[in-house]
Amino acid sequence: MKIIKPALLKEGDTIGILAPSGAMDDDTELLRAIKFFENKGYKIKLSDNVYSKNRYLAGTDEERLNSLHKMFADTSVNAIICLRGGYGAIRLINKIDYNLIRQNPKIFCGYSDVTALNAMFLKYAGLMTYSGPMILSDFGQEDLCEYTINKFFETVCEDKFDYQETFWGGNLSTLVSLCGQDFIPDFEFTLFLEDLNEPLYKIDKMVTQLFNIEKIRKNTKAIAIGEFLNCENADYIFEELNLPLIKNFPASHSAKKATIPYGMLNN
């Protein structure tokens, strides 16, 4: 399948805010993020379920799925940034109309739980997405991380990225939740991984689970180690794989993170 690279973001474009995963507790960060983008000359459109709550999810599966489809089908929306992670994306992956997404390619950005969508959009729609900042955790913060904001706009507006690799991966625990699905690309890639609040033995177990998959072993040409926030040092787990390593890769749950082209070279 040919990989589709979405058009770059331009001033005056419309950014859609989509909530495919966890629910929002209050809208303080959302309103702050809207103001941030509007001050930069962008228009904002909210998905129908942004304020919805069903237990820990941003609405029912049907509400979140319909909002996702509607946001991609909306030709006035040029880019989609996810509201937050948490949990919920994997509840949608077998119900998504991937042909709709392929026919309406646009910037799609998120990390953490959204890793599931990044991986499945690439696999089944052929859409290059971005693993990067989200609304509540990043753009809606009172103290914005200059690195994160600058790297976002450099990547999605200017097509700049600091590495000449094809990256695939993301949040380790979310990737492992996809095991059993056909979710791995059919080409070689540098596997980037990050996570938070995981004990060392669970990181070991999850990495082992991934590398027990023949296709992962075959297609991983190098590993980029992101930040394992609030975890013990896991470097030795990756060193045991005997693959080239990129350390201190800027994928993280912390405030400082890059916007990483997911599935093809950015330049």
Side-chain angles (χ1 to χ4, degrees):
M1 181 183 292
K2 182 181 178 182
I3 305 302
I4 302 169
K5 185 174 181 176
L8 296 176
L9 188 67
K10 306 181 302 297
E11 186 175 340
D13 278 352
T14 296
I15 297 172
I17 297 177
L18 178 68
S21 300
M24 178 172 57
D25 293 327
D26 66 70
D27 63 1
T28 303
E29 287 87 4
L30 172 62
L31 297 177
R32 195 181 288 137
I34 291 171
K35 184 177 180 180
F36 168 80
F37 282 112
E38 288 179 342
N39 286 343
K40 285 189 169 292
Y42 298 100
K43 298 184 283 291
I44 292 292
K45 182 170 285 191
L46 302 181
S47 66
D48 293 341
N49 70 314
V50 159
Y51 282 92
S52 299
K53 189 167 186 177
N54 179 41
R55 302 191 303 275
Y56 35 79
L57 302 169
T60 64
D61 290 352
E62 183 178 9
E63 287 174 321
R64 289 178 293 111
L65 182 68
N66 289 341
S67 291
L68 187 154
H69 286 158
K70 185 176 179 180
M71 192 66 81
F72 269 96
D74 189 339
T75 57
S76 72
V77 174
N78 307 98
I80 298 170
I81 301 176
C82 292
L83 181 74
R84 58 159 296 183
Y87 168 71
I90 64 168
R91 294 175 64 100
L92 306 181
I93 57 176
N94 291 328
K95 305 170 186 175
I96 292 170
D97 182 348
Y98 292 103
N99 286 327
L100 171 67
I101 292 168
R102 183 170 180 81
Q103 293 163 8
N104 297 276
K106 58 191 69 178
I107 292 166
F108 179 85
C109 187
Y111 71 102
S112 191
D113 188 60
V114 178
T115 295
L117 299 180
N118 292 331
M120 299 300 273
F121 287 174
L122 178 69
K123 181 69 178 182
Y124 291 101
L127 178 64
M128 186 199 92
T129 62
Y130 295 93
S131 178
M134 296 190 288
I135 296 300
L136 301 187
S137 60
D138 301 287
F139 298 108
Q141 291 299 300
E142 194 167 11
D143 296 319
L144 294 172
C145 176
E146 185 176 353
Y147 174 92
T148 298
I149 300 304
N150 289 344
K151 291 300 181 183
F152 173 80
F153 286 111
E154 284 180 8
T155 306
V156 303
C157 297
E158 303 175 34
D159 211 16
K160 294 180 180 178
F161 190 58
D162 293 337
Y163 298 82
Q164 289 296 309
E165 305 278 345
T166 295
F167 288 100
W168 179 87
N171 180 250
L172 175 59
S173 56
T174 303
L175 279 180
V176 167
S177 75
L178 294 175
C179 289
Q181 304 282 331
D182 183 9
F183 69 106
I184 304 163
D186 298 317
F187 51 79
E188 290 187 338
F189 49 79
T190 294
L191 175 65
F192 76 98
L193 297 171
E194 61 80 29
D195 220 315
L196 80 164
N197 299 332
E198 294 288 359
L200 195 58
Y201 81 91
K202 283 192 176 181
I203 296 172
D204 190 344
K205 180 175 71 172
M206 290 187 287
V207 171
T208 300
Q209 184 173 359
L210 285 181
F211 277 87
N212 279 341
I213 302 172
E214 182 181 359
K215 201 170 187 180
I216 290 281
R217 296 196 305 271
K218 177 183 175 183
N219 291 350
T220 301
K221 64 178 183 178
I223 298 176
I225 306 173
E227 183 176 15
F228 282 76
L229 189 64
N230 300 327
C231 303
E232 294 179 60
N233 190 321
D235 283 7
Y236 83 90
I237 295 170
F238 301 104
E239 291 165 355
E240 289 178 344
L241 297 170
N242 294 317
L243 287 164
L245 295 179
I246 300 172
K247 294 189 177 183
N248 300 313
F249 188 67
S252 176
H253 266 74
S254 68
K256 184 179 180 181
K257 61 179 68 71
T259 298
I260 303 160
Y262 196 98
M264 70 181 297
L265 287 171
N266 204 43
N267 296 317

